[in-house]
Amino acid sequence: MSDVSLYYETLRGPVQAVDSVNLEVPKGEAVGVVGESGCGKTSTSICIMRLLPDNIHTFTGRILFDGRELMDMTDSEIRSQIRWREVSMVFQGAMNSLNPVIRVGEQIVEPLRVLDKVQKDEARERGVARMRQTGLPAEAYRMYPHELSGGMKQRVIIAMALIMSPKLVILDEPTSALDVSVQAQIMNLLKDLKREEDLSMLFISHDIALTSDLCDRFAVMYAGRVVETGEAEQVLQDPQHPYTEKLLASVPRLRSDVTPEFIPGAPPDLVNPPPGCRFHPRCPYVMDICSKREPEMFPTGDGQYAHCWLRGDEHG
Amino acid sequence: MNMADVMLIEDIRMHYQVRTGIFKTIPLRAVDGVTLAVPPGQTLGLVGESGSGKTSLGKLTLRLMEPTAGHLYFKGKEITHVPEGRLKWFRREAQMIFQDPFASLDPFMTVDQIVEEPLIIHRIQGRESKVHRALEAVRLTPVEEFINKYPHMLSGGQRQRVAIARTLILNPSYIVADEPVSMIDASSRVSVLQILSRLQKEYNLAFIYITHDVATARYFSDRLAVMYLGKIVEMAAADELISTPLHPYTAALIAAVPDPDPTNRLTKRRVIPGEPPSPINPPPGCRFHPRCPYAAKICRDEEPPLREVEPGRYAACHFSEKLQDDLLTLAHGHVDASSGRSAQPPTGASPKP
Amino acid sequence: MGLARSLLIKAISLFAVLMIVMGIIVVILGFSGYSDRLLNAIVTQQTNAFALSLPEGTLPEARAQMIADYETTLTEAYGLNVPWWGRLPSMVWRVLSLDLGEARTAQSYAGSKNINAIILERLPNTILLITSAIVISVIIGLFVGIKAATVPGSILDRVTSYFSAVSYAMPTWWIGIIFILVLAVMLRWFPTGLMYSAPPPEDPLMRFLDVLWHAALPIGALTLGLSGIYIYQTRTVVLNTAQEDFVSVARAKGLPENIVRRRYVLRVAAPPLLTNVILGLAGSISGAILTETVFRWPGMGLLYYNAIFTADEGIIVGLTFMFTLVYVVARFVLEVLYVALDPRVRY
Amino acid sequence: MPTRTQEALQEFWATKVAKVGVVFLVTLILISVFVLVFYPLNFGEELWNNPIVWADNPKAVGPSWTQAFSSQAQAEHLIFELPEPVESDFSQGFKRQLFQVSFLFEADDFPQFTSFTMRDVQFQEDPPFVTLILHRPDGEAIILLDVDIPYPEPEDSPPYVFYSEDPRRIYLSGSPAVRLAVATFARRQLNMEVLVSDIAAVGPEKFMFGVPSSQGGRATDVLKGEYTLSVLVEGVHADDAMGSARFVVAGQLFGLMGTDNLGRDLAVGLLFGFPVALFIGVVTSTLTAGVGGILGVISGYKGGKVDMVIQRTVDILNNVPLLPILIFLLFIVGSSLWNIVILLVVFGWTSLTIIVRSMVLQIRDGEFIQASVALGAGTRRIIFRHILPQVAPFILAQLIFFTPSAILAEAALSFLGLGDPSIPTWGQILDRGFSDGALYLGYWWWIIPPGILIVIAAVTFVLIALGFEPVINPRLRRRR
């Protein structure tokens, strides 16, 4: 993804939900997109699937998937060639992601039946195989969503996301509604799947600790922009952007005695974001230039980049 | 237990009747025999997953529900079955902070009206200055900027601080905080907890902190009690309980929680299978036995009592002593994703400016 | 098994409703003295019939005695010698066992005064009218409502919402009157009322076409009155459902829009839409009274209207019972459909 | 940032339907206020149902403005008040008064009827002679009638005064004496073979205002031109006199909205319908919303046995076919406006109770209510301060939504003949028209306007309710 912007139209003016975002998901790797609520994480995933709502103000940029430019494709091409076949998605709120009146098995294999015209029995076989893989009993195939527990529903949705063997799976807060023990089960399942299927994953979460459980690379978002990207080791152990640093420091730890701190202030209104670096009103290291010019993407290490004037001085 | 405790809970039970047919009802034991004490100026963390009965227990202690059995003493006075009409003094002393700051404030009232309401209910004079002081105490400053706003104009963290101001304005001595930060963004979570800590010290408040998040519980609580299916399975000082759990469920709960660490992704978490069963039909014997990796025959037949395993450390497991080492690795050791080999707990990230 | 049980519960509760409605009607009739009058009328009528049936040569005294005896027997048989509440159980039983007695003025085509016969004759006519109107309105409602919901805010959407408002506000019977005035009286395209031409055509096909020709205006009026409501309800339910998460998931799955709409929006919206049909049923059965009156359609509604003005209590009680029965049965049928459509209510 | 109420109002006002609805509503209210100021409160009994008031109006004729669409010149309705004599003298023991009026009659159609009314006839001994003479444009005159004034009763004493309280109206078209006079006139002056029975059949006006038609036979054509009616009063005393008189040449058109078959001015009746419809709609819906809302709050907040009783009642009422039961009950209890309103409320509150109950259940378990309980707030404070403000907008929206239903239900019941006869409504006017066959005779002015007014009144509230819908259900908000 390069330079992708997505603004929504509202009564008060356009909301800059996603603003000039660059993001790369290498094959077989999991990239975590981390940020607080309203920072544009989910909107970013919507751009890739092109599941845009009606109130779009601006949608620009380039999205390259496997060498193909998605922005140039028509809606029907996206639908028949990209969605689920190449990129599938596990949505936030597993509870509402399943059609309540269709048996879960049918929902899992539906893309096979509709897009690939696979025969019923074969689809069923493949569906049950995927369900086994995600830890679901075969009997669940004929059940309705309301007969399943939250964890099982989440597994159904993961099985559904894998049914077409896509290259990339977008996971949007896949465990946020689950209990911690079930959350850990699902994370283990995702780790297995990543290894077994050589899947690329885009893991979207507000929980940086949870993200570290799965992801090889991180992209930290703040107020519609990516502020830092890099390998997990780089971002978690040597954060280069003040926001990343503060975000990490705010996480209460279970296994160390670091006292968590908070970031003063509140995220900006995206209808009217602050000029320059959007983090500058909350940044402890703020400089003159921060409120005047938007920082570029400065490389700070091998594959690590930060949008911060602090790093611009050191490296550029 | 000692009568100086602000809140003393004795073998409290809360059973509901759940209708399963037209004529059939089944008892749901949301809280099934819990004994706890909350001393002044201390925080008791109540940790558990959904359906464990932690919220029910919290509300019972505030008499938002009437217990089925057991006794509640507040500052030595029994309040178990006192009718609502004679509880007004208690309502002044005991307060609750709710999970969802978007739901716990009346959307039709301004910040001013919300914070003022307790004063009106208890007919307390000098409302304006008290509201100002309360808002200042929760750092909603300048007060003038917030006082006339409606809840929907505030962020989650700000709303929760309004809710805290509302509970504190009566100078209570006991507060039940039910997941007060779980719906707030990570960056403001800590600020809300810090405000609570500061006020606790200032006013010598007794807290029950209800949460599913072991990490914030450890940070904010003096003692922790772990609940599973309506019962307390382990109770100890927060640090001890986290670092050396004595109950398999506690260990599993801790194991499930990651710290931000790049090595996490290379290993798999040791998780307990299954999901918390419904409290409608709890398993016989130890309620955790169907999911427990160490379950033996005795666990199916005999319910383990909550006993003092070590001084000041209580656990409800037949094998607490024997399992100590295993539980430590279960909770903090990682298993390599490919080999299943135990890895050492990391020492945490070291952020630097 | 659970399915059968939940349907049984529904059946029992609907039967209870029927019983309670009957009870209320009977109590009100008794309390207000109508029941006494009703029964007295029957006794007088039957006594007169008995008097006529007596052989010619009977002596006047013996005749008077026999008639008086007969009348006493009847009075006792109908329980007129006890106050109205004493008759309650037997009355309820009579109505429940569909023994509705005799009408005072109304007659069946064959000339019978038996209320059962009259009602049974009228029932199919009413059902013909209502069923066709509801089926057509639901089809129109679904079709247009879905179209309007596809692009909320479009011209079609706005036009339909105005149409719905006006359609809701337009009494069906008045639409019928306008139809008669314009299409029957002024343009003479359709008959002004009734169900058959003056001598009904002999040929079955022609007879059927004749009924169709007569039914066109009442069905048209009912449809115009009902469809607006169905369009609006469909639009609302579909719009609500279309914003559920699982619909976005279905789109993300790469399903073509028609499948998304059919399986994810309409299939899920079907149970609430059906609820609307169930609730609409009440309105249309009621509407039939007015529509039949306007078009002089020989159904239960017209019978009811005439019964009110001839104070034919027997018919009023009988028909009120029948209306409730038809309604309750229709509701039950729809409940069964509902259970079939929504797996969540099968407990 | 605006408050919630302001936001809601903005959202409401943003929809076009709401604006149209509000404009309609204001109009309805203005008309109703006008009616309430200018009409007597017992309009129904005193005026509408009093045939004397409408006697001189033409029966079942269309509105005047339809003349514009007609190729034929229809007869205008002419009313002539004759307040005083044009001549009056007393000489030689002979009193003579002459009342006179001249008028142009240019219509292509004959008048529907003619009538003559006299007031304050007074005399000393014998009643005076009153003679009606019609002078035609062709110079002919018809002595229509010598009015018979009865002799006074023996116990009365002079001067005798007749027809002061109760003016004497003579329906000339139906008077045998007029028929005879006109028949004689037609035979002698018009040379037509006309019998008295013919005149009874077609009405005397055909000859009073006609000349033999070119078609021949007994057909006549209208004689256009200036007519004069003279009323001669002859007595023997100086103060024998007639006070005043009125002469009506009934037209084929009348007023703004025409008349019904009793000659009632439909415009007047329709106007009176405005406040009645508003009253029925608003009172019924307010009571319904009040009962439904209160029972819903009680049912939801109290729970337990109270809840169960309310819910079972709702179940029963919901499963009852409404109109037949309403008709049945109204038939038993008798139709009065209040009975209609009460029955509509009794059967109308259930839907709101169900929804309010579920809303209250949700709110009651909501955290801010629990927070208030924890603060020690009493039941009253919780219900009035926290629960009612949440459900009130919804109840208000439902109140508006109930209004058209009430208006339509009353219209339907009235149409079935179950309306309150002392208070005319649009439904009752429609019922009269329908049962008197107006429909089949093509008297559209009697059928269409009341229906349109019912629709407009109902539409007004439907539109406002539609405007409220996006406020209550944000999912339906149109994206701009």
Side-chain angles (χ1 to χ4, degrees):
Chain A
M1 266 175 105
S2 60
D3 207 22
V4 170
S5 295
L6 177 67
Y7 295 178
Y8 298 118
E9 187 76 61
T10 67
L11 278 175
R12 296 190 298 125
V15 169
Q16 309 181 4
V18 178
D19 192 44
S20 309
V21 161
N22 296 297
L23 199 65
E24 197 181 325
V25 185
K27 188 168 169 48
E29 283 199 18
V31 175
V33 179
V34 188
E36 295 178 83
S37 58
C39 72
K41 308 179 298 260
T42 301
S43 297
T44 306
S45 67
I46 281 175
C47 292
I48 302 172
M49 297 290 276
R50 204 171 318 153
L51 286 168
L52 307 171
D54 299 342
N55 56 336
I56 290 300
H57 178 267
T58 320
F59 179 40
T60 54
R62 311 202 65 72
I63 303 173
L64 226 59
F65 182 84
D66 235 9
R68 295 159 76 188
E69 176 51 70
L70 299 191
M71 294 299 275
D72 294 343
M73 292 171 85
T74 64
D75 281 350
S76 80
E77 280 169 345
I78 289 270
R79 183 183 65 69
S80 57
Q81 295 171 22
I82 300 297
R83 286 187 196 160
W84 233 250
R85 204 181 281 284
E86 302 281 352
V87 186
S88 67
M89 190 160 173
V90 174
F91 285 82
Q92 196 172 8
M95 310 304 139
N96 304 325
S97 294
L98 292 171
N99 185 334
V101 298
I102 301 183
R103 296 176 199 278
V104 294
E106 285 167 41
Q107 294 192 54
I108 291 174
V109 303
E110 200 176 18
L112 276 183
R113 305 261 293 125
V114 174
L115 297 176
D116 278 358
K117 308 274 181 281
V118 173
Q119 285 307 302
K120 199 168 187 170
D121 292 341
E122 193 200 330
R124 189 191 155 86
E125 231 165 77
R126 284 167 67 179
V128 170
R130 281 299 188 193
M131 285 168 71
R132 288 241 169 76
Q133 191 185 8
T134 53
L136 285 164
E139 303 90 78
Y141 194 88
R142 289 191 53 76
M143 286 182 173
Y144 286 99
H146 70 275
E147 296 170 296
L148 303 176
S149 69
M152 284 168 87
K153 276 189 215 164
Q154 197 59 58
R155 288 171 196 270
V156 166
I157 290 166
I158 293 170
M160 190 160 82
L162 295 176
I163 193 72
M164 303 286 284
S165 310
K167 298 198 180 82
L168 173 67
V169 179
I170 301 171
L171 302 140
D172 187 358
E173 306 262 11
T175 62
S176 60
L178 300 175
D179 272 322
V180 275
S181 61
V182 183
Q183 171 178 300
Q185 292 168 10
I186 298 288
M187 293 308 288
N188 276 352
L189 168 65
L190 292 175
K191 279 183 205 177
D192 286 343
L193 290 172
K194 184 181 140 206
R195 192 161 38 85
E196 289 162 19
E197 303 278 322
D198 196 25
L199 273 175
S200 303
M201 289 180 172
L202 191 67
F203 186 88
I204 294 166
S205 177
H206 65 277
D207 187 340
I208 201 164
L210 190 68
T211 312
S212 77
D213 224 17
L214 180 71
C215 293
D216 309 300
R217 287 184 64 79
F218 274 72
V220 182
M221 283 191 79
Y222 182 77
R225 289 193 183 144
V226 171
V227 293
E228 178 169 357
T229 55
E231 297 294 323
E233 283 78 6
Q234 295 171 327
V235 173
L236 294 177
Q237 290 173 349
D238 188 17
Q240 293 298 314
H241 194 283
Y243 175 65
T244 317
E245 182 196 319
K246 288 286 161 195
L247 191 65
L248 273 168
S250 75
V251 179
R253 315 254 167 161
L254 205 53
R255 296 172 183 83
S256 75
D257 287 326
V258 184
T259 309
E261 302 161 22
F262 64 94
I263 313 175
D269 180 4
L270 291 182
V271 174
N272 204 356
C277 171
R278 291 185 177 178
F279 188 60
H280 85 259
R282 300 172 79 184
C283 182
Y285 316 112
V286 64
M287 301 178 295
D288 279 352
I289 190 169
C290 297
S291 61
K292 291 183 183 113
R293 276 179 58 200
E294 195 181 325
E296 296 154 34
M297 187 165 83
F298 298 112
T300 54
D302 189 15
Q304 188 180 17
Y305 299 91
H307 284 254
C308 181
W309 287 115
L310 282 176
R311 309 305 154 206
D313 287 341
E314 281 174 28
H315 297 271
Chain B
M1 292 194 187
N2 125 28
M3 284 318 235
D5 292 333
V6 175
M7 175 59 72
L8 184 60
I9 303 157
E10 260 183 28
D11 197 26
I12 206 85
R13 282 160 207 274
M14 183 73 214
H15 298 178
Y16 299 99
Q17 296 296 313
V18 178
R19 201 168 279 269
T20 53
I22 337 171
F23 305 112
K24 262 193 290 184
T25 55
I26 286 181
L28 182 156
R29 298 172 181 192
V31 179
D32 203 13
V34 169
T35 301
L36 280 176
V38 193
Q42 280 211 15
T43 300
L44 175 74
L46 212 52
V47 182
E49 294 180 279
S50 55
S52 63
K54 56 190 193 303
T55 299
S56 293
L57 179 60
K59 289 184 177 169
L60 276 176
T61 68
L62 287 177
R63 274 298 312 279
L64 291 176
M65 298 188 280
E66 198 168 331
T68 316
H71 301 277
L72 289 171
Y73 301 93
F74 182 75
K75 293 191 169 169
K77 282 186 215 148
E78 173 148 19
I79 54 159
T80 324
H81 299 291
V82 177
E84 184 65 39
R86 286 199 278 134
L87 272 179
K88 228 164 179 182
W89 65 274
F90 171 67
R91 296 270 174 250
R92 254 184 99 153
E93 296 258 349
Q95 291 300 332
M96 181 151 183
I97 298 169
F98 291 85
Q99 173 177 15
D100 185 353
F102 292 85
S104 65
L105 306 180
D106 189 330
F108 285 82
M109 291 166 95
T110 60
V111 168
D112 188 26
Q113 288 169 319
I114 291 167
V115 180
E116 194 185 23
E117 188 176 23
L119 301 177
I120 298 173
I121 291 169
H122 293 280
R123 299 203 173 81
I124 294 168
Q125 297 305 310
R127 297 206 280 262
E128 201 177 320
S129 60
K130 284 203 168 73
V131 169
H132 267 258
R133 253 179 287 142
L135 288 175
E136 272 160 18
V138 295
R139 302 228 175 95
L140 281 174
T141 47
V143 171
E144 287 68 31
E145 194 185 305
F146 294 95
I147 201 152
N148 286 321
K149 283 192 170 172
Y150 284 89
H152 71 280
M153 304 170 182
L154 304 175
S155 74
Q158 289 169 338
R159 281 161 177 248
Q160 198 60 297
R161 282 187 269 169
V162 171
I164 294 170
R166 171 176 63 185
T167 50
L168 288 173
I169 201 159
L170 290 173
N171 290 328
S173 46
Y174 170 64
I175 289 179
V176 175
D178 186 3
E179 308 252 16
V181 294
S182 71
M183 297 186 75
I184 298 176
D185 268 322
S187 67
S188 3
R189 230 172 242 189
V190 178
S191 83
V192 169
L193 288 178
Q194 281 184 359
I195 288 174
L196 287 180
S197 289
R198 188 170 49 78
L199 294 167
Q200 174 170 41
K201 286 193 194 80
E202 228 166 275
Y203 298 105
N204 201 30
L205 290 169
F207 265 99
I208 285 190
Y209 175 62
I210 298 171
T211 186
H212 66 273
D213 180 355
V214 196
T216 60
R218 170 181 184 245
Y219 167 69
F220 184 60
S221 310
D222 300 297
R223 282 165 68 75
L224 283 182
V226 180
M227 277 189 89
Y228 188 76
L229 285 186
K231 282 188 179 290
I232 290 191
V233 294
E234 184 169 359
M235 184 160 63
D239 283 335
E240 285 179 22
L241 187 132
I242 300 282
S243 54
T244 56
L246 290 177
H247 192 284
Y249 178 65
T250 315
L253 209 55
I254 294 166
V257 180
D259 274 340
D261 182 333
T263 60
N264 281 345
R265 69 184 196 276
L266 308 173
T267 60
K268 264 175 88 174
R269 254 162 227 297
R270 296 240 308 235
V271 295
I272 42 170
E275 293 181 38
S278 146
I280 290 181
N281 217 346
C286 173
R287 292 184 177 187
F288 186 59
H289 86 256
R291 301 174 72 193
C292 181
Y294 310 104
K297 188 175 178 303
I298 186 173
C299 303
R300 283 186 288 276
D301 299 339
E302 217 174 285
E303 189 166 354
L306 186 66
R307 61 201 171 87
E308 194 159 11
V309 179
E310 284 173 17
R313 302 204 54 183
Y314 300 81
C317 177
H318 293 297
F319 305 112
S320 285
E321 291 86 350
K322 287 184 204 156
L323 289 174
Q324 276 199 28
D325 293 342
D326 285 8
L327 293 178
L328 182 66
T329 22
L330 172 59
H332 298 292
H334 282 202
V335 180
D336 192 74
S338 43
S339 68
R341 180 175 48 86
S342 224
Q344 274 311 298
T347 44
S350 49
K352 62 177 182 204
Chain C
M1 202 186 79
L3 187 66
R5 204 185 62 182
S6 68
L7 284 179
L8 189 69
I9 294 169
K10 282 274 186 297
I12 291 172
S13 63
L14 285 173
F15 182 74
V17 167
L18 196 62
M19 289 294 292
I20 290 167
V21 171
M22 256 1 268
I24 292 172
I25 290 173
V26 169
V27 167
I28 290 176
L29 273 177
F31 190 72
S32 58
Y34 271 90
S35 146
D36 286 348
R37 274 199 263 155
L38 166 70
L39 289 177
N40 273 322
I42 295 172
V43 168
T44 316
Q45 207 170 42
Q46 293 193 357
T47 312
N48 289 345
F50 175 75
L52 287 177
S53 70
L54 285 175
E56 284 284 318
T58 326
L59 289 169
E61 297 83 31
R63 192 187 168 92
Q65 184 59 44
M66 282 168 81
I67 292 172
D69 284 351
Y70 185 77
E71 195 168 351
T72 318
T73 325
L74 273 184
T75 308
E76 272 166 25
Y78 281 118
L80 266 171
N81 51 339
V82 293
W84 63 269
W85 57 84
R87 297 193 299 269
L88 265 185
S90 66
M91 265 193 84
V92 171
W93 175 246
R94 266 190 338 110
V95 176
L96 280 182
S97 57
L98 293 177
D99 174 13
L100 301 173
E102 303 252 307
R104 219 162 65 186
T105 51
Q107 284 190 351
S108 75
Y109 300 129
S112 162
K113 280 189 162 299
N114 183 289
I115 294 178
N116 280 345
I118 302 174
I119 291 180
L120 281 180
E121 210 170 62
R122 303 285 190 114
L123 185 63
N125 298 351
T126 295
I127 289 179
L128 168 76
L129 210 59
I130 292 179
T131 324
S132 346
I134 287 190
V135 168
I136 297 173
S137 319
V138 167
I139 290 171
I140 293 177
L142 283 178
F143 189 76
V144 183
I146 291 163
K147 270 261 175 325
T150 314
V151 194
S154 66
I155 292 172
L156 177 74
D157 184 30
R158 273 176 220 176
V159 168
T160 51
S161 68
Y162 275 101
F163 170 74
S164 305
V166 174
S167 161
Y168 179 81
M170 251 205 276
T172 316
W173 46 275
W174 187 67
I175 301 175
I177 286 177
I178 300 299
F179 274 14
I180 293 176
L181 188 69
V182 176
L183 299 174
V185 176
M186 291 180 174
L187 297 173
R188 298 185 182 280
W189 290 349
F190 290 96
T192 56
L194 299 176
M195 198 171 161
Y196 299 104
S197 299
E202 292 293 320
D203 180 52
L205 177 70
M206 291 307 290
R207 204 181 159 88
F208 173 72
L209 289 177
D210 190 48
V211 172
L212 220 57
W213 188 51
H214 282 79
L217 286 191
I219 291 179
L222 279 169
T223 306
L224 198 60
L226 289 173
S227 55
I229 300 162
Y230 287 130
I231 290 174
Y232 192 74
Q233 287 173 340
T234 307
R235 172 186 174 272
T236 309
V237 172
V238 169
L239 263 186
N240 268 332
T241 316
Q243 289 176 38
E244 297 279 0
D245 288 348
F246 55 77
V247 177
S248 319
V249 175
R251 292 219 172 86
K253 278 158 91 174
L255 301 179
E257 199 54 28
N258 61 340
I259 290 187
V260 173
R261 204 176 302 155
R262 205 176 64 228
R263 287 177 58 106
Y264 285 80
V265 179
L266 295 187
R267 182 62 187 77
V268 179
L273 285 177
L274 191 66
T275 310
N276 290 337
V277 176
I278 296 177
L279 296 177
L281 199 69
S284 32
I285 286 184
S286 305
I289 295 180
L290 293 148
T291 311
E292 287 180 6
T293 305
V294 168
F295 288 96
R296 287 173 293 149
W297 182 266
M300 301 200 300
L302 184 61
L303 189 63
Y304 202 80
Y305 177 77
N306 288 331
I308 293 168
F309 287 96
T310 50
D312 204 330
E313 294 93 342
I315 297 262
I316 294 176
V317 176
L319 270 184
T320 310
F321 175 70
M322 281 307 287
F323 276 127
T324 316
L325 184 67
V326 169
Y327 180 56
V328 161
V329 168
R331 267 197 91 128
F332 182 70
V333 170
L334 289 170
E335 293 287 355
V336 174
L337 276 176
Y338 195 107
V339 171
L341 277 177
D342 193 341
R344 283 167 294 186
V345 299
R346 296 176 207 158
Y347 50 84
Chain D
M1 275 204 249
T3 65
R4 292 215 148 201
T5 325
Q6 282 167 343
E7 259 176 21
L9 280 178
Q10 271 174 12
E11 187 66 46
F12 171 73
W13 195 244
T15 55
K16 211 180 241 167
V17 283
K19 278 180 200 150
V20 177
V22 168
V23 169
F24 276 28
L25 181 65
V26 170
T27 317
L28 287 187
I29 292 173
L30 287 180
I31 294 175
S32 300
V33 168
F34 167 83
V35 169
L36 288 177
V37 169
F38 290 100
Y39 277 43
L41 269 182
N42 58 347
F43 169 80
E45 281 155 350
E46 190 179 284
L47 298 174
W48 190 249
N49 291 335
N50 183 0
I52 297 162
V53 175
W54 312 106
D56 274 340
N57 281 0
K59 315 297 177 227
V61 297
S64 309
W65 48 264
T66 52
Q67 181 69 72
F69 308 100
S70 170
S71 56
Q72 244 198 353
Q74 303 272 348
E76 278 285 331
H77 187 66
L78 304 171
I79 301 169
F80 303 109
E81 294 291 347
L82 310 171
E84 51 196 25
V86 290
E87 290 169 25
S88 179
D89 64 275
F90 178 71
S91 58
Q92 299 153 355
F94 198 73
K95 171 70 185 280
R96 185 174 169 277
Q97 269 185 315
L98 177 66
F99 291 78
Q100 206 166 44
V101 60
S102 295
F103 58 95
L104 272 177
F105 192 82
E106 299 280 347
D108 293 328
D109 202 352
F110 295 100
Q112 197 188 47
F113 67 84
T114 45
S115 79
F116 175 73
T117 307
M118 51 192 186
R119 269 180 228 105
D120 301 322
V121 174
Q122 78 170 332
F123 54 93
Q124 288 291 329
E125 267 166 78
D126 291 327
F129 295 99
V130 178
T131 310
L132 264 61
I133 305 158
L134 184 68
H135 307 274
R136 296 167 29 121
D138 58 2
E140 304 284 350
I142 316 168
I143 300 166
L144 287 176
L145 185 64
D146 289 317
V147 185
D148 251 342
I149 297 171
Y151 276 86
E153 299 292 325
E155 62 268 22
D156 292 343
S157 61
Y160 307 103
V161 180
F162 274 63
Y163 315 136
S164 58
E165 299 279 291
D166 200 7
R168 175 157 175 207
R169 176 173 180 271
I170 301 163
Y171 182 58
L172 299 178
S173 311
S175 152
V178 173
R179 282 179 197 159
L180 185 62
V182 170
T184 315
F185 165 79
R187 272 207 299 275
R188 294 211 185 127
Q189 262 75 36
L190 302 180
N191 296 316
M192 294 175 79
E193 290 297 310
V194 182
L195 304 175
V196 177
S197 58
D198 293 331
I199 294 181
V202 299
E205 289 76 17
K206 289 269 187 318
F207 301 94
M208 284 156 65
F209 294 89
V211 287
S213 163
S214 50
Q215 296 165 2
R218 284 160 202 159
T220 51
D221 286 335
V222 177
L223 174 66
K224 297 182 186 177
E226 191 181 16
Y227 288 78
T228 305
L229 180 84
S230 304
V231 184
L232 204 59
V233 185
E234 290 158 320
V236 291
H237 280 268
D239 48 359
D240 284 3
M242 178 170 79
S244 64
R246 175 215 281 237
F247 179 59
V248 173
V249 181
Q252 300 287 358
L253 296 173
F254 184 84
L256 211 55
M257 286 287 145
T259 61
D260 69 3
N261 62 349
L262 292 179
R264 293 190 280 211
D265 185 350
L266 286 172
V268 172
L270 290 175
L271 268 182
F272 189 75
F274 277 92
V276 180
L278 269 190
F279 175 85
I280 291 168
V282 172
V283 169
T284 309
S285 59
T286 309
L287 288 177
T288 309
V291 171
I294 290 170
L295 289 180
V297 171
I298 293 174
S299 188
Y301 193 78
K302 289 273 173 200
K305 286 217 172 69
V306 185
D307 181 36
M308 214 186 73
V309 170
I310 294 176
Q311 289 312 304
R312 291 293 84 78
T313 316
V314 167
D315 281 350
I316 291 167
L317 288 179
N318 262 356
N319 281 291
V320 163
L322 185 59
L323 194 63
I325 299 284
L326 270 183
I327 293 170
F328 171 78
L329 292 176
L330 213 51
F331 174 67
I332 299 283
V333 300
S335 22
S336 81
L337 197 61
W338 279 110
N339 282 350
I340 294 175
V341 168
I342 289 166
L343 280 178
L344 288 179
V345 172
V346 165
F347 286 93
W349 55 273
T350 53
S351 60
L352 181 60
T353 299
I354 296 175
I355 306 167
V356 169
R357 174 179 177 268
S358 65
M359 288 175 81
V360 170
L361 277 178
Q362 224 171 28
I363 298 169
R364 187 187 69 173
D365 294 338
E367 291 190 340
F368 69 89
I369 297 294
Q370 300 233 345
S372 274
V373 175
L375 290 169
T379 309
R380 201 185 308 155
R381 183 173 176 86
I382 288 167
I383 287 183
F384 286 99
R385 195 78 182 88
H386 297 294
I387 291 182
L388 272 187
Q390 311 281 318
V391 295
F394 184 79
I395 294 178
L396 181 70
Q398 286 293 301
L399 188 155
I400 296 165
F401 202 71
F402 284 149
T403 315
S405 320
I407 293 172
L408 294 176
E410 190 279 334
L413 291 170
S414 288
F415 180 70
L416 288 174
L418 292 164
D420 186 336
S422 65
I423 301 164
T425 62
W426 297 327
Q428 287 178 45
I429 292 174
L430 253 170
D431 169 41
R432 254 324 271 252
F434 182 73
S435 46
D436 287 349
L439 181 54
Y440 309 108
L441 297 167
Y443 295 165
W444 56 266
W445 60 88
W446 194 355
I447 299 281
I448 292 182
I452 288 182
L453 290 179
I454 293 169
V455 174
I456 287 178
V459 150
T460 302
F461 292 98
V462 174
L463 290 180
I464 295 177
L466 283 183
F468 254 104
E469 190 116 47
V471 180
I472 304 296
N473 184 354
R475 278 186 168 187
L476 295 179
R477 282 182 195 174
R478 291 218 173 85
R479 305 214 174 84
R480 279 162 290 253

